[in-house]
Each structure stands twice: as structure tokens, then as C-alpha cells.
Amino acid sequence: MLARGTIAIIDYGMGNLRSVQQALLKVADGCEVVVTADPQTVMAAERVVFPGQGAMPDCMREIDARGLRQAIVTAARNKPFLGICLGLQMLFEHSEEGDAAGLGILPGRVRRFPARGVGADGTTERRLKVPHMGWNEVHQTRMHPMWNGIDDGERFYFVHSYYAEPADLQMTVGETRYGLRFTSAAAQDNIFAIQCHPEKSAAVGLRLLENFIGWRP
């Protein structure tokens, strides 16, 4: 039986989950943080973190192979749920990466960065390096409890070649510019998902994770 306040990090065999666990433990305030591939543990946890790294078709295949799909969908409907990087993208309906279907929890699609984009001045076209890798600003497009104590325009660490395009722009709570403006944070009800890696984003990333632990949607 899980202790009250347990945070489950979903393990489907992709990505460095221990770095997410270690970052959460720094701000967990006594909460148990478990890495698990067990659907029942995911269902029993009070909070769920859904990281992702790698190619979306491979990740979706592993989720189904391990019988985790329904547990993820159910958790995303009824408890505080944090998607990280590919864990944001898989919440949507479809991705251009491998023409893959996502979980369909959020309406919208995932697109690859174009070969060319607009520079910071908003007019000059330039070739984009893909993946988008390194520190970049996240501009908060509306208030959300997960932004508490985090300044608008704070810099987070990104590594990705695809970005989410929500069907409903009201889901967008953060935007980042990299050749174009893209949704770097999305929220709906008890779901908050962010394209960057908070576990690699120093103090500001730890603050986001701390906010998640205290979030009562």
C-alpha cells in the first residue's frame, strides 16, 4: 500500500527517470517518490509525473506493451498530473514524428520544427538547428498555480525536435520562441505539461516541481 502523498513517476523504459526522481526528492517535503511500471501503483498514487524522452512511436509502443495506457489516461483525468517533454507531446492526438497516434487526452497535434524560422527580431529568416537544444525563455500566457514564484520569461532547459500545437489555445499557459512561437506549457483542469526539462533547469525547475507537489487542482 502506498503512503499518503506518494508521487508516481511512470516508467515505460524510455528516458532517464532517476534524474526526475532525484529532482523531486529535493523538494518532496517528505512525500514518497517512486519510479514505477506498475499500472496499479500509478492508479493508487496521489500525484503522477509522466516524463518522456526518445521517439514518440517507440514510447507509445512501450506504453501499450507494458499495459500502462489506461492507467495514464485515468490518472490524467482525476489527479494532479505533470507531463514533461515527450510526456507533453504524447497527451495530444497525433504527431508528425513517425505519423504516430498519441493518447488523445488533449485535442491537438505535434509538429516538427520547420527547416527555417524567423529570428528574434521577428523579421529575419534563418535556418533552424533541430533539435532545439539549450536554455530558452518561457513566457507565461496566463496565470496558473504552477507558475507561483516563477518570473515571466524565466529560462528553462529544452531538448526537442517537435512541438505541440493545441487545438484550443486556451490550453496554452506558456510560449517559447524558436523560429516561431510554440506552446511550451499546456494546462487543462488537473493536467499541467511542459516541453522543457524542469529536472535539468536548476532552481527555477525545482520551483516548478515544488509547485506541483503543492498544487491542488
Side-chain angles (χ1 to χ4, degrees):
M1 184 175 180
L2 294 182
R4 185 177 179 182
T6 297
I7 304 162
I9 302 171
I10 299 173
D11 178 10
Y12 50 92
M14 306 286 286
N16 183 9
L17 306 183
R18 298 300 169 183
S19 61
V20 177
Q21 183 185 36
Q22 291 304 310
L24 279 164
L25 285 170
K26 289 180 181 178
V27 296
D29 193 26
C31 296
E32 184 178 4
V33 182
V34 298
V35 175
T36 181
D38 176 35
Q40 294 304 315
T41 301
V42 174
M43 297 281 283
E46 184 174 297
R47 298 171 186 276
V48 171
V49 179
F50 183 39
Q53 187 172 313
M56 184 157 161
D58 296 338
C59 290
M60 291 300 304
R61 185 165 51 249
E62 289 299 320
I63 285 169
D64 285 333
R66 295 164 191 250
L68 283 163
R69 178 185 288 259
Q70 190 56 52
I72 295 169
V73 171
T74 301
R77 288 174 176 162
N78 62 26
K79 59 185 69 183
F81 188 97
L82 175 63
I84 296 175
C85 194
L86 198 61
L88 175 151
Q89 296 178 16
M90 287 188 288
L91 297 177
F92 288 89
E93 296 166 304
H94 186 268
S95 175
E96 291 181 351
E97 185 176 21
D99 192 25
L103 293 167
I105 296 167
L106 301 178
R109 58 182 178 170
V110 175
R111 304 186 65 180
R112 182 175 172 82
F113 280 110
R116 303 189 71 83
V118 177
D121 62 4
T123 58
T124 306
E125 187 177 287
R126 65 184 178 91
R127 181 175 295 279
L128 287 184
K129 292 182 180 179
V130 179
H132 168 216
M133 182 181 297
W135 295 83
N136 207 339
E137 297 175 353
V138 175
H139 296 279
Q140 300 165 22
T141 56
R142 63 180 173 90
M143 294 179 63
H144 192 282
M146 288 287 287
W147 294 138
N148 289 347
I150 298 174
D151 291 336
D152 185 28
E154 280 279 15
R155 295 170 67 84
F156 289 80
Y157 189 79
F158 289 82
V159 182
H160 63 122
S161 300
Y162 296 79
Y163 64 94
E165 189 176 76
D168 180 2
L169 292 181
Q170 289 299 310
M171 286 191 296
T172 299
V173 294
E175 288 185 336
T176 297
R177 175 174 285 282
Y178 187 68
L180 48 78
R181 280 198 173 276
F182 68 90
T183 295
S184 52
Q188 179 175 279
D189 302 326
N190 56 296
I191 298 170
F192 187 94
I194 193 159
Q195 181 64 64
C196 67
H197 288 272
E199 76 281 7
K200 298 179 181 178
S201 297
V204 67
L206 291 178
R207 181 55 192 257
L208 187 87
L209 295 176
E210 184 178 7
N211 287 343
F212 176 67
I213 291 170
W215 183 31
R216 298 287 185 271

